Structure formats: structure tokens, C-alpha cells
Amino acid sequence: MTLVKTKMPEIEIDHVSMYYQTGSSEVLALKDVTVDIKKGEFVSLLGPSGCGKTTLLRIMADLIQPTSGMIRIAGTTAKEARLAQKYGIVFQNPVLYDWRKVKKNITLPLEMMKVSKAEQEKRADRLLELVGLTKFKDKYPWQLSGGMQQRVAIARALAMEPEILLMDEPFSALDEFSRERLNEELLSIWSEVKNTVVFVTHSIPEAIFLSDRVFVLSPHPGRLSKVVEIPLPRPRTAEMRESPEFYQLITEIRNSFEGV
Amino acid sequence: MNLQGLLKRSAPTLVWLIGLLIIWQISSWFLLNVLQVPLAQSKLPYIHELVFTFTEYSGTLLYQASITMKSAIIGFAVGTFVGILLAIFMSSSKWIEQLAFPYLVASQMIPILGLAPIVYGIVRDDGVSRIIIAAFMTFFPVVLNTLRGLRSAEPSAVELMHSYAAKPWAVYWKLRFPQSLPSLFTGLKIAAPLSVTGAILVELMGATEGIGVIMLRNLYYGSSHAYMFWLTVIVGALLGFLSYLVISLVERLVTPWQPEFRKSGGDE
């Protein structure tokens, strides 16, 4: 197991294990994961289904509690971080509220906080511009394409200006073309907000293209099997996907799955 | 929507309606002149006679209808209010739901015909008992459908709220309640005509005014009042239909985002 020690970890994952009770038998979804994520880092959790990557993300989000071990986010517990609204989350599906127009969907989290109406307007307008949907602010979510809906979900997650952005396979429901374009857009958005991103995916190229580091998880039981540094320079461009380094990284990560 | 589109859409309904009226008129003539059944006009009166009687007594009919409609609307409002409150209460915990549900179902097993005189015997006021019965008939479909609606929010939509550390009232107000509106309206569309039926039913039991009262009176007077009796039945049915239409219209205004309204509502 690779242990990465840094001076200022934003997220500390400390001996986290997770059992699921299915009938009479217990399933080990995550086995003793320990790793740190630095502030401002873009990290991917990569692995096949059943490797526990989504489980790990949901534990960070305090949507489920680990059986043992704990998560510290900027020194606080995951629950405290959630109550302090330190993270924004993007799910696999956009989960937009059908009865709210695009702009009102983006301001939804701000309504839970004590944010003034004027400030809500200001932030929503800026975010709409950031994700390129200003023209669509008065549309209902179902009037948008899948990719646009997911961009609304990203804008909504960024609305409270979170220190951490948790993304659970946000582009997996999209076609390959939209996915690659959104990967590039996500990076350009991220270069402006510069927060810590934890991105769950099962796509090796997607993880490499986006991340500073890729956490490779293996299934049965779910565990952290490898941490791969991605030395590709930023800003990343579409051409990098064709570079020899990129292919080399794909091979390296793919090989780490063998013998699993 | 333009006039041409409206015509095109309502054409099948219109053709169907005219066809029905023609069959009615022919059948009426057939009963009266060919089969020569006794009291033929009570069984199926001529439409033109109905129209004639209506023009003569439209004032009375509309006034009595307004009396009935008033108690139906108040009963509907009370029933809806109680129904929504109960649904919110029941949705707050599975335990309360399990406790309350059998009683709710049992309440609907009581024959309304038997309940109406009991309620009247207690409150001794036909206006109030009309409202109570109308409310009683309204609240059940409202509870059932609202409860289902309140529970229909997707787990991920609830988790999203959870991730915002949203307070329980915020989860209700911003997610569960709007999410339940389509179901609520389904309940209201069933309940609205029922509230009219309920109001008329109590009037039949004994009241001084209302469409049910003149319905009963003209039934007693026999065949000479057959047209008026038929008109009260038709007006009663129209009131129910009207209440359904009003609720449907409100639904379109309040929840234009529902999948079934999207095609005509969108501008793309």
C-alpha cells in the first residue's frame, strides 16, 4: 500500500474499511484504505465496478459511515465538513429538480445557507457563464441535453464555493464525444476555481486526462492498489490524449489491474 | 394555442358528442313511438324538450347548482387541507403510517348513505353536514395520492439535500412537496367530482336548497316532471365535470414541468 504523506492534507483517509450486510453474509466493500489528498489537488478514484470507489466517495461526503477508520477534512470530521457545507457533490445523474428552472437549480444550495438574494443572483450568473449556459438560465432542466444538464449540476455544486468538489462518475451516462468535451471544460472551470477535486470514474483515459494523481482501486475486496502520479503538464489539451506519455500511462495503469 | 389547433384537437370530441346526441334523440323517439313503453319520456327524454325546459327554468337550476357547488367547494377545500396534513404527518414516519392506515381504509368502508343521516343527526344543520360529507369523500384520495407523492422523491435527490445539511422542513418544502404535486393533483382530480357527489347526496337526505333537493322533488312528482328531473341529473354531472376541468387547469398552471405537459408547453 502506498502512503502519501504531505504537509497540508485537505482530505485524510485513515484506515477506512466498509462492510455491507447482505442477508446473513457480510461483504467487504473497502479494506483498510489510507491515503491523503492535498489541497487544490485533482484526484481520481479509478477502478472497475465493485472496487468501492463510489463507496469511498460517499464516505467522504458523509452520506454513509465507514465500519471502521475515519475521514478528516481540513482537520474536521466528515460530518462536520458536511454540516459546514465544505464540499459540493455531483452525482452520476444530474439530479436536477424538474420544477426549478436552470438558474433556480443552481441557487438551490445557496437557499439553505444564509446567502442574500442579491448574492445568489450574482453567483448564479457568474456560474452560468462559467459553464456556458447563460442563454439557458430560464429553461427547465428537461429542455436541455444530458451534457448541459450535467454542467448545471456542476455549477450547482460550485455555487457554495466549496473547498472540495466530489464527483461520482459525472460523465459516465454521456456519449464519448460529450464526455471528452466536458472533461476539457471541467479542467478549464477547475483552473478558475482551483479547489480540491475527487473524481470517481471507471475510464482510464478520463482519469489520466483530468488528474494530478490517480488512485487505482481493485475489487474483491475493494482496496487501494496503486497511486499513479500524472506528470502531464497543465493546462491539458486534447492533443495530449494522443501523446506517447498518455499511452504509456494507460498501459501502466492497465497493467496494475492484472493479477487482481 | 391558435384557433385552428384547438379546432383540430377538439374535432374528435365534437363529432363524438354530436353522434351521441343523435343516437339519444333517435332512441327516445323509438321508445316513445315504436315500442310505446310506459313513461317513455322518463326513461329517455327528447333533447329538445330538455333544452326547452332548461331555458324556462335555467334561473332556478343555476341558483340551486350554485348552492350545491358552494358546499362542494368548501367540503373539497376542507377535505384537501385535512388530507394534505394527514399525508405529511404519515410520511414523516413509517410507524405513524402503519398505525393510521387501517383506520383510513376502514373510514372508506362506511356507506356514505348511512353516514349522511348520522352526521346530520349530530350537527343538525344541512349546510354543515353537506360540507362534512363532501370533505369526507374528498380526503381519502387526497391522502393516498399525496402520501405516495411525498414518498416519490429519488434517493439521490434526498441525498443532495442531505449533502447541503438541509433541515427537515427544507427537505419537505424544497423537495418532497414539489415532487408530490403531480400525485396530489391526481388525487384532487378524483376528489373534486366526488365532493359534488357528496354534497348532492346529503341534499337528497333532506335539505331545503340545492340541486339534490329539486332532483328528489321532481322525482316524486312523477312523469310530468321527468324533464326537470333529467336536467338536475345533467346539471349534477356537469358540476362534477366542471370541477375536474378547473383542477386540471390549475394543475397545468402550477406544474407546467410535468412530463405530460412538456410537449405543448415547450417552445422548442
Side-chain angles (χ1 to χ4, degrees):
Chain A
M1 176 150 324
T2 319
L3 269 165
V4 182
K5 287 284 177 201
T6 50
K7 267 183 193 160
M8 268 285 292
E10 177 86 330
I11 305 173
E12 296 168 76
I13 302 164
D14 187 5
H15 297 286
V16 166
S17 291
M18 182 79 195
Y19 290 91
Y20 279 117
Q21 198 79 36
T22 53
S24 56
S25 63
E26 271 189 337
V27 177
L28 185 54
L30 271 180
K31 189 187 168 200
D32 197 30
V33 177
T34 300
V35 71
D36 288 348
I37 296 166
K38 281 173 279 191
K39 197 171 173 59
E41 194 176 24
F42 198 125
V43 162
S44 286
L45 307 180
L46 172 72
S49 353
C51 72
K53 56 192 189 296
T54 292
T55 303
L56 187 57
L57 187 92
R58 290 165 60 81
I59 292 172
M60 290 184 212
D62 190 45
L63 294 174
I64 48 175
Q65 280 71 46
T67 315
S68 64
M70 79 173 295
I71 301 263
R72 269 182 301 276
I73 294 174
T76 69
T77 66
K79 186 175 183 184
E80 284 164 342
R82 175 172 67 81
L83 294 179
Q85 303 194 321
K86 275 195 186 156
Y87 71 81
I89 191 162
V90 180
F91 296 104
Q92 195 168 349
N93 298 316
V95 199
L96 302 174
Y97 291 179
D98 276 345
W99 50 90
R100 285 170 170 257
K101 293 187 173 160
V102 166
K103 192 171 178 180
K104 290 289 281 175
N105 261 292
I106 294 174
T107 56
L108 175 72
L110 300 177
E111 293 167 20
M112 315 290 160
M113 303 165 76
K114 290 185 179 74
V115 174
S116 71
K117 275 260 179 276
E119 174 69 15
Q120 286 183 24
E121 285 280 314
K122 217 178 83 192
R123 282 204 213 173
D125 285 337
R126 212 193 51 228
L127 285 162
L128 279 163
E129 205 174 314
L130 190 65
V131 297
L133 288 176
T134 304
K135 270 199 309 193
F136 298 91
K137 65 178 175 170
D138 290 323
K139 295 276 180 211
Y140 283 106
W142 35 269
Q143 292 172 309
L144 309 183
S145 69
M148 286 155 96
Q149 290 183 15
Q150 205 52 281
R151 295 208 308 247
V152 177
I154 292 169
R156 182 185 57 191
L158 293 173
M160 43 194 165
E161 295 171 353
E163 290 156 41
I164 299 162
L165 183 60
L166 303 176
M167 308 183 87
D168 186 8
E169 303 193 42
F171 308 136
S172 64
L174 305 177
D175 60 80
E176 196 66 25
F177 303 101
S178 314
R179 171 189 276 225
E180 289 192 358
R181 207 185 53 242
L182 276 168
N183 282 170
E184 287 150 36
E185 282 184 28
L186 175 62
L187 285 185
S188 88
I189 291 167
W190 179 63
S191 71
E192 288 193 36
V193 290
K194 291 191 170 64
N195 53 7
T196 312
V197 183
V198 182
F199 189 98
V200 169
T201 179
H202 54 239
S203 158
I204 300 175
E206 186 175 47
I208 295 171
F209 183 73
L210 293 174
S211 314
D212 296 318
R213 283 190 298 159
V214 176
F215 295 179
V216 180
L217 286 97
S218 305
H220 316 299
R223 62 196 185 280
L224 183 63
S225 58
K226 196 171 189 189
V227 175
V228 181
E229 298 263 356
I230 308 297
L232 298 174
R234 292 190 188 272
R236 307 250 164 106
T237 56
E239 294 77 59
M240 285 184 192
R241 290 181 199 275
E242 308 301 327
S243 69
E245 295 98 307
F246 198 85
Y247 283 108
Q248 214 173 339
L249 286 161
I250 290 180
T251 310
E252 184 188 342
I253 291 174
R254 190 168 287 146
N255 287 341
S256 71
F257 282 115
E258 277 173 19
V260 164
Chain B
M1 199 187 308
N2 55 25
L3 192 69
Q4 207 173 8
L6 191 75
L7 262 174
K8 211 172 186 176
R9 246 164 46 113
S10 52
T13 322
L14 266 174
V15 169
W16 175 241
L17 188 73
I18 291 167
L20 202 72
L21 290 176
I22 290 170
I23 292 170
W24 178 331
Q25 193 75 344
I26 290 171
S27 307
S28 179
W29 174 84
F30 195 74
L31 283 177
L32 187 67
N33 297 319
V34 180
L35 296 178
Q36 298 191 337
V37 294
L39 302 173
Q41 282 295 289
S42 297
K43 295 195 169 94
L44 199 65
Y46 277 132
I47 293 163
H48 64 268
E49 292 284 3
L50 290 179
V51 172
F52 179 72
T53 313
F54 181 77
T55 50
E56 202 170 340
Y57 293 104
S58 58
T60 314
L61 279 165
L62 290 180
Y63 172 72
Q64 301 294 345
S66 73
I67 301 280
T68 304
M69 210 51 189
K70 204 175 118 193
S71 36
I73 289 170
I74 298 173
F76 176 76
V78 172
T80 301
F81 182 73
V82 172
I84 292 174
L85 275 189
L86 245 144
I88 291 174
F89 193 54
M90 284 165 77
S91 74
S92 67
S93 106
K94 261 268 177 283
W95 189 77
I96 296 174
E97 185 187 338
Q98 278 168 2
L99 197 76
F101 212 82
Y103 295 99
L104 270 186
V105 176
S107 79
Q108 297 304 303
M109 300 296 137
I110 303 170
I112 298 290
L113 273 172
L115 189 68
I118 295 173
V119 171
Y120 182 73
I122 294 168
V123 300
R124 292 255 151 231
D125 182 295
D126 66 270
V128 176
S129 49
R130 256 184 280 189
I131 290 167
I132 292 177
I133 294 294
F136 185 79
M137 291 179 77
T138 305
F139 95 100
F140 189 66
V142 174
V143 173
L144 229 57
N145 284 286
T146 310
L147 184 62
R148 202 180 46 136
L150 287 172
R151 289 208 191 282
S152 69
E154 301 247 348
S156 49
V158 179
E159 274 183 349
L160 186 72
M161 277 293 179
H162 195 60
S163 81
Y164 301 146
K167 303 269 186 301
W169 68 264
V171 179
Y172 263 89
W173 188 242
K174 298 201 185 284
L175 171 62
R176 290 197 191 278
F177 193 65
Q179 182 84 68
S180 77
L181 285 176
S183 288
L184 171 63
F185 275 109
T186 303
L188 293 183
K189 279 189 280 190
I190 300 168
L194 275 179
S195 69
V196 177
T197 311
I200 291 178
L201 208 79
V202 180
E203 288 166 358
L204 290 176
M205 306 261 147
T208 49
E209 282 185 315
I211 213 80
V213 174
I214 46 170
M215 186 186 289
L216 198 66
R217 213 172 273 162
N218 286 288
L219 187 63
Y220 281 150
Y221 291 159
S223 57
S224 60
H225 288 69
Y227 299 131
M228 197 60 181
F229 173 75
W230 268 83
L231 279 174
T232 59
V233 174
I234 291 168
V235 168
L238 285 178
L239 289 182
F241 186 59
L242 184 74
S243 66
Y244 179 88
L245 283 184
V246 169
I247 300 293
S248 302
L249 187 72
V250 174
E251 182 183 21
R252 261 178 190 273
L253 294 176
V254 175
T255 59
W257 45 269
Q258 280 198 65
E260 53 190 293
F261 303 144
R262 285 177 190 178
K263 277 265 150 47
S264 57
D267 51 356
E268 284 164 322

